């Protein structure tokens, strides 16, 4: 069988590429090893974790009503089967939708594992009826969108069902009495939040000296303070896990670090120490595609690999491993294949950690500015001065702009607080449009909303903030 465009991988990047290419008139074959479309994001990542984080948030808000507003409910009974079923329903609805969208566009979906025979053909492995006779597919172009897999260092790899990765944690088999999360990054903190609200005693161990390495410290601080309470102070920084041994009724964990040293026992351990590109065992050595030492496929700003027919997008094509980066790279790859002058040229790829409070940032960060010696000024607006934040009792938030001193252009933005992930979209647009701080402060923001903090932070920069908060700069 021959196709104009083969897309290998049916995740957030792959299906976006396939649908767009079909809309543009290309004849497309989408190859996905799993029975359902959606990839990590939909089947075992972004979407199921957000469904569970929603449950965690409601439980937390109810607790808050009792603690602060004198409104009491009885202790919640958690029917874990129903929670799991509801999460599955969200996934199957969306995955079913993708199947329909593919059908409507006449994208041929083949359920198989694709392995490169050379730069022009894939061998299709599997037994599904969708595999063409001969199990071989030749193509004019191919977009590689095979994503990433949880990293499992050899010292943590275990046959034990008590040691899980993010996929196992999202399966939500039960609520363990105690859970140790190894890795204080995106996954560790999001899943730790879910399990803690469902009733598990959660501990987090992080190798470096702070949670979410790479994020600005002033944004992490309010989250860390809240997590200290949720995890009952069991956040161990600068700490290594030496070994994990399943002792039958618990996992024995050996810690080495200033805050924790010695042996502890946990009902379950979640290993969330990063992800690795899914580029092994797919025959890339039979093509001219080049990879770096970590296995990421090398490509240029047009998503071209070293092999002229093959493009790469999403997690397999490099960091940040974020679904929204994948879908935008998909657009670039398809446009370049169509002969359009596109390239991936973004000033801001937003990052959101969906904890409570959420942390979001876009464009330049203060950590990056310090590291790369980039001149910038900051304008901060603490949410304690926001009427809306006071009304909802979430005054720990902070909104921050990073500004180019000469031009007053906004270079970056960081937000911590509930809903930060939604608020950051305005900053992304402002950075991409080359806005100056004045553009933000002159735009009327609805009152009373948390979005005003973006405008107020800009006013702080000019020393014109009229709310309770009086800045002392300029
Ligand atoms: P991560 O890179 O965010 O965090 C891994 C953490 O583990 C780091 O803090 C690291 O210092 C720590 N670590 C590494 N080795 C360790 C060890 N031996 N012991 C203790 N700590 C150790 O990785 P992740 O949380 O696994 O997530 C993987 C990727 O998935 C993320 O980088 C992100 O791109 C993506 N993701 C995004 C979202 C989102 O957008 N909200 C959510 C989940 C995952």
């Amino acid at each position: 069988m021959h196709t104009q465009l083969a897309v290998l991988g049916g995740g957030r990047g792959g299906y976006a590429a396939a649908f767009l290419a079909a809309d543009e008139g290309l004849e497309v074959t989408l190859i996905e090893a799993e029975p359902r479309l959606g990839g990590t994001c939909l089947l075992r990542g972004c979407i199921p974790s957000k469904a569970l984080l929603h449950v965690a948030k409601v439980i937390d808000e109810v607790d808050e009503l009792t603690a602060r507003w004198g409104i009491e409910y009885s202790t919640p009974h958690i029917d874990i089967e129903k929670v799991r079923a509801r999460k599955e329903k969200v996934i199957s609805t969306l995955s079913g939708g993708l199947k329909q969208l593919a059908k409507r566009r006449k994208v041929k979906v083949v359920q198989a594992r694709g392995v490169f025979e050379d730069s022009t053909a894939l061998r299709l492995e599997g037994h599904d009826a969708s595999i063409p006779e001969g199990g071989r597919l030749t193509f004019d172009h191919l977009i590689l969108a095979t994503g990433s897999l949880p990293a499992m260092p050899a010292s943590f790899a275990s046959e034990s069902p008590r040691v899980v990765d993010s996929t196992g944690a999202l399966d939500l088999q039960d609520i363990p009495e105690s859970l140790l999360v190894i890795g204080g990054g995106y996954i560790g903190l999001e899943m730790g939040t879910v399990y803690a609200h469902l009733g598990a005693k959660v501990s987090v161990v992080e190798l470096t000296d702070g949670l979410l390495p790479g994020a600005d410290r002033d944004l992490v601080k309010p989250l860390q303070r809240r997590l200290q309470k949720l995890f009952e102070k069991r956040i161990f920084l600068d700490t290594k896990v030496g070994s994990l041994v399943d002792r039958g009724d618990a996992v024995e964990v050996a810690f080495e670090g200033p805050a924790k040293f010695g042996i502890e026992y946990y009902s379950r351990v979640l290993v969330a120490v990063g992800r690795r590109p899914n580029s092994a065992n797919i025959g890339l050595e039979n093509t001219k595609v080049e990879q770096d030492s970590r296995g990421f496929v090398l490509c240029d700003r047009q998503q071209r690999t070293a092999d002229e027919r093959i493009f790469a997008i999403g997690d397999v094509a490099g960091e940040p491993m974020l679904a929204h980066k994948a879908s935008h790279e998909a657009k670039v790859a398809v446009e370049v294949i169509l002969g359009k002058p596109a390239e991936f040229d973004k000033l801001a790829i937003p990052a959101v950690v969906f904890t409570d409070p959420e942390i979001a940032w876009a464009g330049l960060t203060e950590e990056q500015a310090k590291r790369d010696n980039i001149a910038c000024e900051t304008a901060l607006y603490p949410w304690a001065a926001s009427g809306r934040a006071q009304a909802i009792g979430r005054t720990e938030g902070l909104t921050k702009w990073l500004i180019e001193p000469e031009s007053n252009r906004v270079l970056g933005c960081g937000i911590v607080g509930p809903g930060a992930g939604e608020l950051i979209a305005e900053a992304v647009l402002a950075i991409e449009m080359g806005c100056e701080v004045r553009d933000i402060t002159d735009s009327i923001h609805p009152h009373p909303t948390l979005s005003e903090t973006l405008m107020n932070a800009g006013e702080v920069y000019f020393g014109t903030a009229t709310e309770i908060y009086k800045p002392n700069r300029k």
Side-chain angles (χ1 to χ4, degrees), residues 50 153 156 182-188 190 205-208 210 212-213 239-241 272-275 319-322 324 352-354:
K50 262 77 266 175
F156 301 151
I182 306 183
Y186 282 72
I187 294 177
E190 290 184 4
V205 55
E206 163 60 42
L207 196 61
T208 67
L212 294 168
T239 302
K240 242 171 77 175
V241 167
V273 296
R275 298 181 63 86
E319 291 183 313
M321 292 193 252
L322 298 171
H324 43 271
V352 183
V353 190
F354 291 91

Side-chain angles (χ1 to χ4, degrees), residues 134-444:
R136 193 164 183 274
L137 178 72
T138 56
F139 51 81
D140 294 342
H141 287 105
L142 181 138
I143 296 178
L144 182 66
T146 45
S148 61
L149 299 165
M152 184 58 82
S155 54
F156 301 151
S158 164
E159 293 291 301
S160 164
R162 292 183 180 278
V163 179
V164 297
D165 59 18
S166 53
T167 309
L170 283 166
D171 278 348
L172 206 70
Q173 281 316 311
D174 54 14
I175 304 164
E177 192 208 322
S178 61
L179 171 75
L180 173 69
V181 175
I182 306 183
Y186 282 72
I187 294 177
L189 299 187
E190 290 184 4
M191 290 313 298
T193 299
V194 167
Y195 274 91
H197 281 302
L198 290 178
K201 275 181 130 190
V202 176
S203 307
V204 173
V205 55
E206 163 60 42
L207 196 61
T208 67
D209 61 3
L211 297 176
L212 294 168
D216 284 351
R217 293 301 93 189
D218 53 355
L219 302 180
V220 175
K221 212 182 273 172
L223 171 66
Q224 186 158 342
R225 225 175 272 140
R226 207 168 161 96
L227 288 180
Q228 291 279 14
K229 277 193 207 141
L230 185 65
F231 300 159
E232 294 171 37
K233 295 194 177 159
R234 290 183 303 259
I235 298 177
F236 312 126
L237 302 175
D238 247 331
T239 302
K240 242 171 77 175
V241 167
S243 63
L244 299 176
V245 183
D246 189 343
R247 295 287 181 207
D249 55 351
V251 184
E252 185 182 276
V253 182
F255 290 94
E256 293 167 37
K260 189 97 205 136
F261 197 90
I263 301 286
E264 287 268 351
Y265 293 87
Y266 292 89
S267 330
R268 182 95 25 97
V269 175
L270 162 61
V271 180
V273 296
R275 298 181 63 86
R276 59 183 171 83
N278 185 16
S279 56
N281 307 318
I282 54 171
L284 282 178
E285 63 285 2
N286 302 326
T287 69
K288 291 187 210 127
V289 170
E290 289 172 4
Q291 291 163 255
D292 71 8
S293 58
R294 295 168 63 199
F296 286 111
V297 167
L298 299 175
C299 55
D300 64 13
R301 283 154 72 101
Q302 293 197 306
Q303 310 304 136
R304 289 177 191 278
T305 67
D307 195 312
E308 59 181 3
R309 287 167 184 263
I310 302 174
F311 291 69
I313 61 170
D315 288 6
V316 77
E319 291 183 313
M321 292 193 252
L322 298 171
H324 43 271
K325 186 206 73 157
S327 53
H328 279 266
E329 289 179 342
K331 194 161 178 266
V332 172
V334 170
E335 289 183 347
V336 172
I337 289 169
L338 290 166
K340 297 184 185 174
E343 64 174 32
F344 191 84
D345 181 21
K346 306 293 181 197
L347 293 172
I349 302 173
V352 183
V353 190
F354 291 91
T355 40
D356 183 26
E358 291 179 357
I359 297 185
W361 65 92
L364 186 67
T365 65
E366 257 187 294
E367 296 269 307
Q368 201 184 334
K370 269 183 225 151
R371 195 184 57 224
D372 300 342
N373 223 358
I374 299 171
C376 77
E377 290 197 58
T378 56
L380 301 174
Y381 195 77
W383 286 21
S386 152
R388 185 60 183 269
Q390 288 283 356
I392 62 169
R394 297 303 300 267
T395 49
E396 80 273 29
L398 178 75
T399 297
K400 168 173 76 175
W401 285 108
L402 281 88
I403 300 152
E404 192 173 54
E406 296 287 293
S407 65
N408 282 350
R409 269 192 176 195
V410 293
L411 300 175
C413 182
I415 308 173
V416 55
E422 303 285 344
L423 298 176
I424 201 70
E426 176 180 339
V428 175
L429 187 65
I431 297 164
E432 288 290 355
M433 299 285 291
C435 286
E436 294 178 17
V437 184
R438 180 76 63 198
D439 297 314
I440 319 280
T441 55
D442 283 355
S443 303
I444 301 179

